[in-house]
């Protein structure tokens, strides 16, 4: 019954399984990541360059693995110089977990945040 309410279907026939594409979860995770103060952006990986060549649009810096009802997410980010990296990473994990679980109904098992760069403001360099 709960699945019917989530999907919004009210039929007498058997319910089919609803699948959410990995790319959709990656976009949700990317948006949640970019909302965190101190994050400059996500960083592309080698796989992202392959995706760009093949023509498929994929969220850069986000890797998603979906199981039966659980999700594993890896995020590569670039942070601003001067922020507390540990605090920013914890906030990214919490925001992604809340967003994905709220929007998809899937359980987020892990969110691994990889800080791959620090962005310096040009005004600070002088």
């Amino acid at each position: 019954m709960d699945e019917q309410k989530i999907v919004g279907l009210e039929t007498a026939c058997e319910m089919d399984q609803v699948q959410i594409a990995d790319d959709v979860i990656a976009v949700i995770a990317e948006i949640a990541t970019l909302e965190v103060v101190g994050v400059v952006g996500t960083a592309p990986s080698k796989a992202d360059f392959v995706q760009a060549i093949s023509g498929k649009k994929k969220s850069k810096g986000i890797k998603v693995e979906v199981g039966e009802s659980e999700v594993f997410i890896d995020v590569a980010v670039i942070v601003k110089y001067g922020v507390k990296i540990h605090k920013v990473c914890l906030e990214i994990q919490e925001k992604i977990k809340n967003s994905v679980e709220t929007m998809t109904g899937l359980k987020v098992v892990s969110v691994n945040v990889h800080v791959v760069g620090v962005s310096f403001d040009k005004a600070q360099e002088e």
Side-chain angles (χ1 to χ4, degrees):
M1 294 295 282
D2 290 331
E3 289 178 341
Q4 286 181 331
K5 291 179 185 175
I6 292 172
V7 178
L9 298 174
E10 294 181 22
T11 60
C13 64
E14 277 187 35
M15 297 299 297
D16 289 330
Q17 192 175 27
V18 175
Q19 294 181 345
I20 300 171
D22 294 0
D23 292 346
V24 172
I25 297 170
V27 168
I28 294 169
E30 183 177 25
I31 291 169
T33 301
L34 296 175
E35 289 177 352
V36 175
V37 176
V39 174
V40 174
T42 56
S45 66
K46 292 176 188 175
D48 294 326
F49 292 117
V50 172
Q51 295 294 330
I53 292 170
S54 68
K56 284 179 91 178
K57 168 75 172 96
K58 191 168 184 177
S59 296
K60 63 178 187 169
I62 312 281
K63 180 183 170 196
V64 176
E65 291 181 32
V66 181
E68 289 290 321
S69 61
E70 68 276 345
V71 181
F72 303 89
I73 302 172
D74 286 316
V75 184
V77 296
I78 300 169
V79 296
K80 291 180 185 175
Y81 177 77
V83 299
K84 294 184 185 227
I85 294 174
H86 183 264
K87 181 181 175 191
V88 170
C89 290
L90 288 175
E91 192 173 340
I92 291 169
Q93 289 175 322
E94 192 63 34
K95 211 159 196 39
I96 289 175
K97 183 179 186 309
N98 289 338
S99 296
V100 172
E101 287 182 349
T102 301
M103 292 183 180
T104 66
L106 298 170
K107 180 172 176 30
V108 176
V109 176
S110 71
V111 177
N112 299 314
V113 180
H114 306 275
V115 178
V116 296
V118 177
S119 175
F120 295 92
D121 197 324
K122 292 191 182 227
Q124 292 176 347
E125 291 178 3
E126 295 175 356

